[in-house]
Amino acid sequence: MEGKGQAFSDKYAADISSIKAAQDRISSYVHKTPVLSSETLNSLSGRKLYFKCECFQKGGAFKFRGACNAVFSLTDDQAAKGVVTHSSGNHAAALSLAAKLRGIPAHIVIPKNAPKCKVENVIRYDGQVIWSEATLQSREEVAAKVLQDTGAVLIHPYNDGRIISGQGTISLELLEQIPQIDTIIVPISGGGLISGVALAAKSINPAVRVLAAEPKGADDAAQSKKAGTIVTLPETKTIADGLRAFLGSHTWPVVRDLVDDIIVVDDKEIIEAMRLCYEILKVAVEPSGAIGLAAILSESFRSNPNWKDCKNVGIIISGGNVDLDVMFESLNERV
Amino acid sequence: MEGKGQAFSDKYAADISSIKAAQDRISSYVHKTPVLSSETLNSLSGRKLYFKCECFQKGGAFKFRGACNAVFSLTDDQAAKGVVTHSSGNHAAALSLAAKLRGIPAHIVIPKNAPKCKVENVIRYDGQVIWSEATLQSREEVAAKVLQDTGAVLIHPYNDGRIISGQGTISLELLEQIPQIDTIIVPISGGGLISGVALAAKSINPAVRVLAAEPKGADDAAQSKKAGTIVTLPETKTIADGLRAFLGSHTWPVVRDLVDDIIVVDDKEIIEAMRLCYEILKVAVEPSGAIGLAAILSESFRSNPNWKDCKNVGIIISGGNVDLDVMFESLNERV
């Protein structure tokens, strides 16, 4: 298969070799997540859908793949003082768990507005929480101070070749589990997940289409593709709290060159897709995790002639960390 | 393996042969459901837990296995006039789907108080809904009339060897997926699921323990085991709407002889386990589906010296059909 593939090593922060090396490095730590399917959702979309359930990954999201690869790529000397990150949540939990498995400390800068369940995940995995304000500036400043105080290594949530390589292992698994896949739909935020997925998938089979799904209230990646350069937004507003980051220097070139299109959906479409995930697939997803299904059911995707031949579609359910207090308060009232 | 096993064919309505025949009959129709695990839940329980996720089965519950086996066991002549059942929901949807796959009508008598999502599943699979009152008597009377009017075949939800054999295919899969399992915990209601699971598991390996989990507000099976005869209750009260049926003539002998114990839990424990399924496993379960986890976390299980050697425990998540309107109304208010 590699003979047919393309090598991207000169141009990008990761390539099929670094992704295969990541798979060797992390395979004894990560879950090989199952792929689910539903005739009901196939009928609804008019295609065969294959849901790669990264919500069942350790820590409840795909982020553990990249974090695990980054942490176990460190030399013993580098690792000794621990790792640091600032993150809206899933990367934070993932890094905490990876650090715990290696037996080193994880210093986690978390904005005060992060969802409670994501903070609980960090604490569950013995991450050391340091609070910041909600702004990116405050998060970076607090992280810089922690770096100085501890001498630990900063592990960026997505703009890092080791992270991209770890996330790319999803494609290796998915294309082995469902070889007939012709399209993969991936949530896009900072671009680490889709960069890894695209680099691996297009190396294995250049004909596989890789499409991003992005919330309308944080559509910086769609705007960047149109502008031909990284666009950032003064503010973002979406229920998909995991998809508010902007592209980075290592992810933008991959998104620019290898992502075939970006499908933008609104929050109502995300919630409707989330409901289908719970009610039909029986999978507890977070809003970000449902956006791939929202994209394939959206009018803009259905009416685009470029995608009418997408028949066997892999949809990455990126994570399942969501506060369900309302639902359980209601249930508890019944007993 | 069969050489080591026990044959139960003289005593019970199903045996390892009928269960293997069921597997051959239904394997092209059913999902081979994945087994999930979680280090967090392992720590919490002090054991290794393997969740057999029948909520991902077609129709959202294990019931499709038995219904599919029953429908495809019929001769063409028997099948021609369709099938009938009265059911609280999951069997109804399962029978509708199985009948649809065989191209025959399914007449479904449903009590007016059945959960909305379960009724929707019947309609989704083209089942023909006939309403009855909530009492078992009304359901049976309406079903008898439908039988007379249509000449269709009655397929009981659990008190039927074909149904028991279909449900038993879960054990064949689970013990192949996780051979080291020493204990299986199974929700108990009418006893079809646990009869099939116990007959298959104990035939393959007589040392495997089979334990039932039952809600306190419908603990007829636990009372039956104590009394040594079938006990029914004047009324049942539990959030686990799928677990209110009583044992039947074909399931009681298996429960009496092969089920090692019945663990009774209250509704608060069920809801707490349900929360863990959503928040940690990321699986959308119905209350009945979470009761196995509730049982293994219960004080009565933990403190029982008989079960301290249960180290590798299979837990059957029986279904995921639950109304989530409250949760989605709350989400929709945010956009």
Side-chain angles (χ1 to χ4, degrees), chain B residues 32-53:
Chain B
K32 183 172 177 177
T33 53
V35 176
L36 298 181
S37 61
S38 154
E39 290 294 335
T40 302
L41 296 180
N42 290 350
S43 297
L44 207 57
S45 66
R47 320 182 191 241
K48 289 202 172 169
L49 308 183
Y50 301 93
F51 295 91
K52 178 70 169 162
C53 292

Side-chain angles (χ1 to χ4, degrees), chain B residues 261-278:
Chain B
D261 199 2
I262 298 185
I263 303 151
V264 175
V265 296
D266 65 28
D267 279 8
K268 280 215 175 297
E269 292 173 298
I270 292 172
I271 293 173
E272 179 53 28
M274 208 176 152
R275 180 191 272 268
L276 291 169
C277 287
Y278 281 76

